[in-house]
Amino acid sequence: MLGAASAQAQDTKVTIGYQLIDGPFLTAIANGSFEKATGYKIDWRQFSSAGDITSAFASGDVPIGVLGSTGIAAATTRGVDMELFWILDDIGRSEALVARNGSGIKGPQDLKGKKVAVPFVSTSHFHLLVALEQIWHIKPSDVQILNMKPPQIVAAWSRGDIDAAYVWPPALSEIEKTGTTIITSEEVGKKSVPTFDGLVANRTWSAKHADFMNKFTKVLAQSYADYRANGAKWNADSPEIKAMVKLAGGTAKDAADAVKLLVFPTAQEQASAVWLGGGKSGGALRALTNSAEFLKNQRQIDKALPDYGPYVTDKYAQAAAK
């Protein structure tokens, strides 16, 4: 009996990985909504890069976590068995390439020979390479592209060790104070492929814990609906912003500004062809397919999969949208 009770308790514990991305998801983490709705004991583990969270996923340590669209494409191509079940945000203006004041970079062509930091295999890395090759027609090899996590970027920036960086808040908010924005992911996306942050789950784990997944996704839907209704009132003094800062760091003002740069799809939009629904015409599937093709061309992956459909599901969003 004791062994059965222990196994049952273990079955209602889960580790979920999150990254430093402001929004309704962090607010729901902070107020304990997920635990209340699911009855699970959740160990919230913070990661600072796509590579770190992918490794934790591949090892089985983390069955649910946050990854950008490029990270999802790379991980699934390499055999990590995950499914995208929620669009955390449409990245838009919340990722950008910023040149440090005094670096001598006035425009894109000045990037040649300069040190540009970015977290590798991230959405920022993807859009940096897209901007260089497809928009400005600059060979990536002509730029010194350095692999750094967001906290490392801020430290290197303050020392003057790098000339530019492509990253997201709170690191972006910090470097923008002493830099000039060259291009944002909203601009790159309009000229190529948009990027997004998503929540992914281990497919075997999610099938076994379908009730948890449905309740978890309903909390997401409610928190996003609350933001849609009241987000305009979120400012540096609001409890939602303060809760995000407690989890992700930075300042309340920077967090309030960062949230306004992102787009948070409703449950109905999530379930539609705009994002998770729509089969092969769905926005998320198209973004993963295009991201994988680009990663292959950049030799980040050996080959792209013929179909990324098995790694995108709208079933939880569909249930939450009802």
Side-chain angles (χ1 to χ4, degrees):
M1 291 292 290
L2 183 61
S6 176
Q8 186 176 16
Q10 188 68 30
D11 204 44
T12 56
K13 292 181 180 179
V14 62
T15 299
I16 299 179
Y18 69 95
Q19 295 192 57
L20 304 177
I21 302 167
D22 293 314
F25 179 49
L26 289 190
T27 301
I29 293 174
N31 65 25
S33 294
F34 292 109
E35 288 85 349
K36 293 172 190 173
T38 64
Y40 275 55
K41 179 178 175 59
I42 301 175
D43 174 20
W44 297 100
R45 192 177 300 176
Q46 185 186 109
F47 292 85
S48 60
S49 75
D52 288 347
I53 201 166
T54 299
S55 296
F57 231 95
S59 69
D61 291 344
V62 177
I64 297 177
V66 174
L67 272 177
S69 47
T70 306
I72 297 169
T76 52
T77 303
R78 292 173 180 142
V80 182
D81 192 27
M82 61 174 62
E83 59 184 1
L84 170 68
F85 69 94
W86 187 262
I87 302 298
L88 209 62
D89 56 68
D90 180 350
I91 287 173
R93 292 179 293 132
S94 72
E95 292 187 5
L97 174 63
V98 181
R100 183 176 53 80
N101 294 343
S103 65
I105 300 172
K106 302 299 181 183
Q109 295 302 318
D110 298 324
L111 292 167
K112 294 178 180 178
K114 299 294 186 178
K115 295 178 180 178
V116 181
V118 65
F120 275 19
V121 198
S122 66
T123 49
S124 288
H125 187 205
F126 172 52
H127 265 180
L128 170 62
L129 296 176
V130 168
L132 287 171
E133 286 202 321
Q134 297 183 15
I135 299 175
W136 302 322
H137 306 294
I138 298 172
K139 292 180 181 178
S141 58
D142 289 341
V143 181
Q144 297 183 57
I145 302 176
L146 307 175
N147 182 15
M148 291 187 183
K149 298 175 184 178
Q152 294 172 324
I153 286 175
V154 174
W157 185 279
S158 64
R159 295 191 301 265
D161 292 347
I162 56 177
D163 302 301
Y166 206 133
V167 72
W168 55 87
L172 175 61
S173 304
E174 189 61 33
I175 68 175
E176 281 180 327
K177 295 173 183 176
T178 53
T180 302
T181 299
I182 302 298
I183 199 166
T184 70
S185 279
E186 180 179 54
E187 297 170 84
V188 178
K190 286 179 179 177
K191 296 178 180 180
S192 58
V193 181
T195 51
F196 63 84
D197 295 305
L199 273 164
V200 293
N202 175 280
R203 292 199 296 177
T204 301
W205 192 94
S206 61
K208 185 179 176 182
H209 299 84
D211 184 60
F212 172 89
M213 292 295 297
N214 280 313
K215 290 176 179 176
F216 185 89
T217 309
K218 284 182 180 178
V219 172
L220 286 167
Q222 184 58 56
S223 65
Y224 277 51
D226 289 345
Y227 176 78
R228 182 65 63 96
N230 304 303
K233 301 174 186 175
W234 288 18
N235 56 46
D237 295 320
S238 64
E240 294 87 356
I241 294 296
K242 290 179 178 178
M244 281 188 271
V245 170
K246 188 175 180 180
L247 282 171
T251 69
K253 182 184 182 303
D254 287 345
D257 291 341
V259 169
K260 292 178 174 61
L261 301 177
L262 294 160
V263 178
F264 303 105
T266 64
Q268 288 74 22
E269 290 168 337
Q270 302 261 358
S272 75
V274 174
W275 288 112
L276 301 171
K280 291 188 177 181
S281 64
L285 180 53
R286 285 187 289 107
L288 293 182
T289 302
N290 288 329
S291 294
E293 190 61 31
F294 191 81
L295 287 169
K296 184 190 74 172
N297 292 339
Q298 291 297 320
R299 297 186 176 88
Q300 295 290 323
I301 55 177
D302 294 332
K303 61 179 180 179
L305 299 177
D307 182 15
Y308 286 86
Y311 305 101
V312 178
T313 180
D314 64 350
K315 61 184 176 183
Y316 303 114
Q318 290 280 6
K322 293 179 180 176

